[in-house]
Amino acid sequence: MNRLENKVAVITGASSGIGNSIARLFAAEGAKVVMFARREKELNDTAAEITANGGVAVACPGDVSVQADVERALNTAIEKFGKVDIVVNDAGMVRYNGGVAVVTDDECMELYAVNTMGALRFCREAMKYMLPAGKGNFVFIGSVGGLLGHGGTAYAMTKGGMVSLARQIAVDYHREGIRSNVICPDGVMTMFGCVDGKWDMDPHTIKATTDHVCPDTPLCTPEEVANLALFLASDESEAVNGQAIVIDPGANL
């Protein structure tokens, strides 16, 4: 317990799935949490639960593709808690899972604006506070798709960009006390990618991906991903920087 005591964490995509599990775990481990996502009710409900359990959480609704919303999230952390130690870039979307033969420019750019540029915006804004403090920690929730090409062309491109961004931050700023690592899950037991109750997955991409995955391998839970995020966000991992870490139960061995 208290592995994040006295830390302030800003977590995007915190209304559901992996981001929501991370927010709950970080608060339970002593962090003051600023929860950012588009769905205000879900954020407020989770913040209320965290508070009722003795934690500290603030809901901050917004869109990672809107610069003013990003600025407001970091300003909230500074105004409420005086600093920002950790940023977890979890917000993302998966759509348009077809291969390069069918994907369009607009489809790629829609995902790029959220998955890659959304993370960049939060990192850039957080640097205004982390660099003067001489310390800071970025944890990205990427995807095995960004390393191995799973999930369709647009998704793999944008998650691959996230991996490169995380590593570039570590290269550029490790001497200034900044750490930056990316978690790359394979399948996770969430509703991510489900649109109107249906899975928006291209059959060709599904087959190509499953042909490369060990059969009958279970999916990760959001809590398992959150546990790894906790380690990377804590001082226990201070020697880990610029890494892309795959988390799966052996699906991609």
Side-chain angles (χ1 to χ4, degrees), residues 12-206:
T12 75
S15 60
S16 64
I18 294 171
N20 190 268
S21 292
I22 291 173
R24 293 173 184 275
L25 180 59
F26 279 23
E29 290 288 346
K32 299 176 177 66
V33 174
V34 176
M35 302 172 57
F36 183 91
R38 291 180 296 179
R39 289 179 288 179
E40 185 171 3
K41 181 182 183 304
E42 286 81 354
L43 287 179
N44 287 333
D45 288 347
T46 301
E49 290 180 29
I50 289 172
T51 301
N53 289 325
V56 180
V58 175
C60 184
D63 189 326
V64 298
S65 67
V66 178
Q67 177 63 26
D69 288 357
V70 176
E71 294 173 4
R72 181 165 45 81
L74 273 299
N75 287 338
T76 297
I78 298 301
E79 290 169 4
K80 295 285 188 181
F81 308 120
K83 62 175 182 172
V84 55
D85 300 296
I86 303 158
V87 171
V88 179
N89 286 302
D90 172 70
M93 62 182 297
V94 56
R95 301 282 190 278
Y96 322 121
N97 301 102
V100 70
V102 297
V103 73
T104 69
D105 287 8
D106 288 345
E107 290 168 350
C108 290
M109 294 309 295
E110 183 179 344
L111 266 65
Y112 183 70
V114 174
N115 294 350
T116 314
M117 288 301 299
L120 183 147
R121 291 184 188 98
F122 263 87
C123 294
R124 184 174 59 203
E125 194 65 23
M127 281 295 195
K128 295 177 181 179
Y129 310 104
M130 290 180 173
L131 285 175
K135 60 180 179 179
N137 193 343
F138 295 106
V139 179
F140 295 75
I141 307 302
S143 169
V144 75
L147 297 176
L148 304 179
H150 298 179
T153 297
Y155 186 69
M157 285 173 58
T158 58
K159 287 296 187 176
M162 179 182 276
V163 171
S164 295
L165 172 61
R167 286 175 161 164
Q168 189 65 51
I169 290 171
V171 169
D172 286 340
Y173 297 106
H174 67 279
R175 291 183 179 87
E176 283 85 359
I178 305 297
R179 289 200 295 124
S180 174
N181 295 284
V182 54
I183 299 172
C184 297
D186 198 348
V188 182
M189 288 188 288
T190 71
M191 296 302 290
F192 186 61
C194 184
V195 180
D196 296 329
K198 298 180 180 179
W199 296 106
D200 181 25
M201 302 294 283
D202 179 80
H204 186 277
T205 298
I206 289 287

